[in-house]
Amino acid sequence: MKSLKYNSVRGPVLALSMALCLANAAAADDTDQQPAPAKSEPSTPAQGAEKPKAPVKSKSGLQAADGSYVRRFSAGGSISVFGFPIVPAKSKDVTINTGLSVSSKTESTSRLVGGGLNFQATVTSHFAVNAGLIMRRVRFATTDVTYYGTDDTTTTTDERTKMTVERGTRATILDYPILVRYYTKNHRTAGRRWFYEAGGAFRQITGIHSIGQTTQTDGTVDCCDEQPLKPTNRIIPGYVVGAGLQMIDEFGIRFVPEIRYTRWARRTFDTQSTRMQTNQVEFVLSLTF
């Protein structure tokens, strides 16, 4: 009877213990199965979407949106400084025959500085085509003395009669250089770069104004002749070579100093002592955008 009572109590206790263990295990499983809070991840653009291109700052300036440092198209202004006068000062004496001779003298007052526009188009990663317009003002004065007769060298007096023509001339010179440039760096490579150039040019003269007077041997003055001095050639061709450096600032402005040599095939003015230069050396500074 005692054994039966013990057995009847032990069974429910074991059953209750097993039930509590199962409940605790189920609670633990529920806790483990709960998903962890998702970590916030930075949003990424959808696959295939193009990222916006923006200028990139570098030590040498702003890179263009297409990744180039030499832009496909650029334009700006240029200042040109000659190494020597376009119309050099010169004197010339010519004896036509025994009783006729001419003494000619030219003085130049032309400015050495000119200015204009500059355009460039990139063709390949190293080559570009550059074209420009440079305008210059030309000023010079000529004195031509024509002697008639024969001078007696045994006397101190000049027995010849003479006619003196003094004339001042001003005009505008337009130079059109068209050059092919080779850059030493790929146009997508950062930094300053050297370039070499060669090509041709055309020169045109326009706006010629002259004023002159004639003085006879007895001092009679005939004033004022405003007939423009006629140029020998209004348009002349030339050949150009040069070298320079392109630098870029933080605002994307290109500073381009260069040296050019131009050989003109002919002279615009070529009379007596008035002979324009055929060898032209100039320093050019361009600011392009």
Side-chain angles (χ1 to χ4, degrees):
M1 187 72 178
K2 182 177 180 179
S3 174
L4 180 61
K5 183 177 180 180
Y6 176 77
N7 291 336
S8 62
V9 174
R10 186 175 61 177
V13 171
L14 290 174
L16 180 59
S17 298
M18 292 180 63
L20 290 174
C21 290
L22 291 174
N24 290 333
D29 291 341
D30 291 342
T31 303
D32 294 340
Q33 292 176 4
Q34 288 181 0
K39 295 182 180 179
S40 59
E41 296 180 357
S43 59
T44 57
Q47 186 175 3
E50 186 177 355
K51 295 181 180 180
K53 295 178 180 179
V56 180
K57 271 195 175 182
S58 71
K59 292 182 179 179
S60 358
L62 289 175
Q63 184 181 8
D66 63 353
S68 65
Y69 287 82
V70 177
R71 291 177 176 152
R72 185 172 297 276
F73 298 102
S74 60
S78 299
I79 297 176
S80 170
V81 181
F82 273 172
F84 33 76
I86 189 172
V87 181
K90 189 176 181 181
S91 297
K92 184 179 181 181
D93 295 327
V94 178
T95 300
I96 300 173
N97 54 49
T98 304
L100 181 61
S101 62
V102 178
S103 177
S104 179
K105 181 180 180 181
T106 297
E107 296 179 347
S108 177
T109 57
S110 301
R111 295 181 178 179
L112 298 179
V113 180
L117 303 175
N118 185 285
F119 305 93
Q120 179 170 290
T122 301
V123 179
T124 67
S125 60
H126 285 276
F127 285 93
V129 175
N130 182 275
L133 166 63
I134 301 293
M135 182 178 71
R136 298 180 175 88
R137 300 291 291 175
V138 179
R139 293 176 181 269
F140 57 91
T142 59
T143 302
D144 295 328
V145 183
T146 304
Y147 294 93
Y148 303 92
T150 304
D151 181 26
D152 186 354
T153 58
T154 62
T155 65
T156 58
T157 304
D158 191 344
E159 287 79 17
R160 296 175 297 178
T161 60
K162 65 179 181 179
M163 180 179 66
T164 304
V165 178
E166 299 173 287
R167 184 186 302 273
T169 300
R170 58 184 173 88
T172 299
I173 292 290
L174 302 175
D175 291 348
Y176 304 91
I178 302 175
L179 308 170
V180 175
R181 284 182 175 175
Y182 172 76
Y183 287 91
T184 56
K185 286 185 179 180
N186 186 293
H187 71 283
R188 293 181 183 273
T189 303
R192 63 177 62 91
R193 66 206 67 232
W194 292 95
F195 64 84
Y196 305 96
E197 59 190 1
F202 291 93
R203 168 169 287 176
Q204 178 186 10
I205 188 167
T206 184
I208 304 175
H209 297 278
S210 299
I211 185 169
Q213 67 178 23
T214 302
T215 305
Q216 303 296 338
T217 305
D218 60 1
T220 304
V221 178
D222 181 13
C223 184
C224 297
D225 180 13
E226 297 186 7
Q227 182 69 25
L229 181 63
K230 186 178 179 180
T232 308
N233 300 285
R234 287 192 174 271
I235 299 178
I236 59 175
Y239 310 94
V240 187
V241 293
L245 176 67
Q246 185 199 66
M247 298 176 286
I248 312 170
D249 70 1
E250 294 183 352
F251 301 98
I253 302 175
R254 273 66 177 170
F255 295 85
V256 187
E258 59 180 301
I259 295 178
R260 292 180 185 172
Y261 167 76
T262 305
R263 171 68 180 183
W264 297 108
R266 294 187 291 273
R267 290 182 170 91
T268 303
F269 289 108
D270 191 4
T271 56
Q272 300 295 338
S273 60
T274 305
R275 307 189 71 198
M276 293 185 67
Q277 293 279 5
T278 55
N279 297 304
Q280 175 178 303
V281 178
E282 61 183 315
F283 172 79
V284 181
L285 175 62
S286 302
L287 275 68
T288 63
F289 302 87

